[in-house]
Amino acid sequence: MLKNFTAIDFETTNRYPTSACSIGIVVVQDGEITEEFSHLIKPEPYYFNKKFIEIHGITPAMVEDAPSFYDLWSVIGHYFNTEALVAHNAGFDISVLKACLERADLYARLPESFCTCRLSRKWVKGLPNYKLNTLCDHFGIALNHHEALSDARGAAKIMIELSKLSLFHDFFPHCQ
């Protein structure tokens, strides 16, 4: 079982990966959620695509006085000193994290990452799709989709469920 990890989720204001406007972080220790954190972020560039606002509901007025990613890093950096990072569609969230770090001229050694979407495709059969809301429904996990903390919590709980499956240990014996 993957017992210790940090699940993350970002919301962005446009297609630029540096445009993070919200982050959700969920810490899992010994297979249990032990801490949660979320914060709005002033995006860079400060450009809002209307379609993105419709998805997550975060407006320019809401992040106008939010800290930049650079300023927020002193508060959140320690969450990334973990055994693993977990996200749903991890490629997106990890690319946002790396882009924000680079834009802020910050360095962080990031741990191995796991994608609950990819892992679920391998180990959970018969679902119509592997979107976060579909998997949360399948596992009975409450979700306020496109709210960063709720999405991170959903990914964390999906990973907890997946890591209980015997197939998980066949692929990741070092996580037992």
Side-chain angles (χ1 to χ4, degrees), residues 84-102:
L85 289 177
V86 168
H88 196 76
N89 291 317
F92 171 79
D93 293 291
I94 299 302
S95 72
V96 170
L97 175 60
K98 288 179 177 179
C100 287
L101 284 164
E102 184 177 325

Side-chain angles (χ1 to χ4, degrees), residues 9-15 21 49-59 92 144-148 151:
D9 184 78
F10 284 98
E11 300 299 328
T12 58
T13 62
N14 58 59
R15 296 202 182 279
C21 61
N49 182 308
K50 182 180 174 185
K51 290 180 183 179
F52 285 65
I53 294 171
E54 290 170 1
I55 291 170
H56 53 57
I58 298 171
T59 65
F92 171 79
N144 181 15
H145 203 14
H146 299 298
E147 189 275 310
D151 287 358

Side-chain angles (χ1 to χ4, degrees), residues 4-80:
N4 303 308
F5 60 87
T6 297
I8 61 170
D9 184 78
F10 284 98
E11 300 299 328
T12 58
T13 62
N14 58 59
R15 296 202 182 279
Y16 291 100
T18 58
S19 71
C21 61
S22 180
I23 186 171
I25 299 171
V26 175
V27 177
V28 174
Q29 294 292 318
D30 296 321
E32 299 288 330
I33 293 174
T34 59
E35 190 175 351
E36 296 183 341
F37 177 87
S38 68
H39 211 287
L40 293 175
I41 304 168
K42 189 170 192 171
E44 296 180 31
Y46 196 77
Y47 161 72
F48 287 73
N49 182 308
K50 182 180 174 185
K51 290 180 183 179
F52 285 65
I53 294 171
E54 290 170 1
I55 291 170
H56 53 57
I58 298 171
T59 65
M62 294 168 70
V63 297
E64 182 174 35
D65 296 323
S68 67
F69 184 85
Y70 176 85
D71 291 332
L72 190 58
W73 186 252
S74 64
V75 176
I76 65 173
H78 73 280
Y79 289 117
F80 297 90

Side-chain angles (χ1 to χ4, degrees), residues 95-115:
S95 72
V96 170
L97 175 60
K98 288 179 177 179
C100 287
L101 284 164
E102 184 177 325
R103 180 154 185 145
D105 200 25
L106 295 167
Y107 173 79
R109 172 173 257 145
L110 300 177
E112 181 177 13
S113 63
F114 293 90
C115 177

